[in-house]
Amino acid sequence: MSLGDEHGFGESARADDEYYDGGRTRTRLPDRAGDPYGGARRGSRSSSRGLITVVAVVVLLIGAIALANRGGGNGGSGASGDGGDKPKAAPTAASGDKPVTTRTAGIPSGFPHDESGAQSAAANYAVALGSTGMFDKASRHSLVNLLYTSEAAAKLQGPMDQAYSADFLAKMGLDANGNPPSRSTFVSRVTPLGTTVQQYGDSAARVAVWYVGLIGMSGQGSTDPVTASWKTWTFDLRWTGNDWKIVADSQKDGPAPVPGDDRAATSDEISKAIEEYGGFTYAR
């Protein structure tokens, strides 16, 4: 679940939305001689794009879950709001509310039963579902059971296991248990940049999270170096068990800024940064 093309845990059928992808694109890559990834280039990212097909089964399942739950009064898509599907305006300034202090299995939990709480939940859930924990079966099962409604989790676990097959993991450079090679660091991280409430009701909400993600293998000779991608992850949430839970979710590309002239980091620099810099608990 997932970043770049690989973070397609719930690729949306609405992914045909246009986003800025041109102009004076300025991409600077390291010289081959000093490239610790063995001169690897993402280029067309053919190896990454091939993974979309493997994970596509999850897309279909998430859509089915969404449809199945729309018939109920508490379904995620049944969130009420005067503006219909039109996103509500949200201030860019933080709310000032304190982030949650409770955690369940290491994941923030116990979010407030209001719009701010729904946004905080969506942001933190995106971080969890975009982590390396999704590539380990036991950890993935725990995350899905914790973050989704019981009905959604039950329908999602089987197809998710098929999507994260040994073949898929091998294409990512991981072994059958989701572990990277010796002296290599597998990177999968989501950093939310903002959230917006598209629909809200007392029992359900739809929240979109704009994020930048990192994914790839940092190590000598890696053919899949760590790259960044920009996406929007939309969550249909339901208030159940005194917390927000995911009913269904989807992703689409962008909006992405024009790449800058930053020097691409070496493998050692990326690995060191991943080890030294931890993540955050997000609150609206």
Side-chain angles (χ1 to χ4, degrees):
M1 330 196 102
S2 211
L3 301 154
D5 292 335
E6 294 85 349
H7 273 243
F9 311 123
E11 284 295 321
S12 171
R14 300 181 298 243
D16 56 352
D17 292 358
E18 295 183 355
Y19 63 100
Y20 191 82
D21 188 29
R24 295 175 299 169
T25 301
R26 300 171 298 162
T27 303
R28 181 177 179 182
L29 295 172
D31 293 334
R32 234 176 237 279
D35 186 355
Y37 290 78
R41 296 287 193 277
R42 269 289 171 97
S44 63
R45 301 182 63 169
S46 58
S47 62
S48 299
R49 294 182 185 279
L51 300 178
I52 299 177
T53 302
V54 181
V55 190
V57 63
V58 180
V59 179
L60 299 178
L61 180 70
I62 290 174
I65 294 174
L67 290 175
N69 282 278
R70 281 175 183 169
N74 294 328
S77 60
S80 62
D82 295 336
D85 291 332
K86 184 178 180 180
K88 297 172 62 177
T92 56
S95 65
D97 295 338
K98 293 182 179 180
V100 294
T101 58
T102 56
R103 290 176 178 268
T104 303
I107 307 299
S109 60
F111 297 96
H113 189 186
D114 54 24
E115 291 191 27
S116 179
Q119 292 181 78
S120 295
N124 284 282
Y125 294 170
V127 172
L129 293 174
S131 70
T132 56
M134 292 298 293
F135 295 81
D136 172 81
K137 184 176 182 179
S139 175
R140 181 173 64 252
H141 280 211
S142 177
L143 284 170
V144 172
N145 285 330
L146 176 64
L147 304 182
Y148 288 80
T149 63
S150 57
E151 298 90 344
K155 296 177 181 178
L156 191 60
Q157 293 288 18
M160 191 75 79
D161 288 343
Q162 294 179 18
Y164 284 90
S165 64
D167 181 61
F168 170 80
L169 296 175
K171 290 178 180 178
M172 297 296 294
L174 305 169
D175 64 20
N177 295 316
N179 299 313
S182 177
R183 303 178 66 179
S184 293
T185 301
F186 179 61
V187 180
S188 182
R189 183 176 292 191
V190 161
T191 300
L193 299 175
T195 60
T196 185
V197 176
Q198 295 183 339
Q199 293 182 17
Y200 184 80
D202 185 62
S203 62
R206 175 173 293 161
V207 179
V209 180
W210 179 36
Y211 75 86
V212 60
L214 301 177
I215 193 164
M217 187 73 71
S218 178
Q220 296 293 329
S222 170
T223 59
D224 192 31
V226 179
T227 59
S229 64
W230 300 76
K231 291 180 178 290
T232 300
W233 205 334
T234 302
F235 294 91
D236 283 331
L237 304 173
R238 179 188 300 168
W239 183 256
T240 179
N242 294 319
D243 210 348
W244 292 106
K245 299 293 183 180
I246 304 171
V247 175
D249 59 305
S250 61
Q251 292 193 55
K252 66 178 181 180
D253 294 334
V258 177
D261 289 329
D262 304 300
R263 177 188 65 83
T266 65
S267 173
D268 288 342
E269 289 172 335
I270 290 292
S271 297
K272 184 178 180 181
I274 292 298
E275 293 174 0
E276 292 184 347
Y277 295 93
F280 297 94
T281 296
Y282 290 86
R284 185 67 178 91

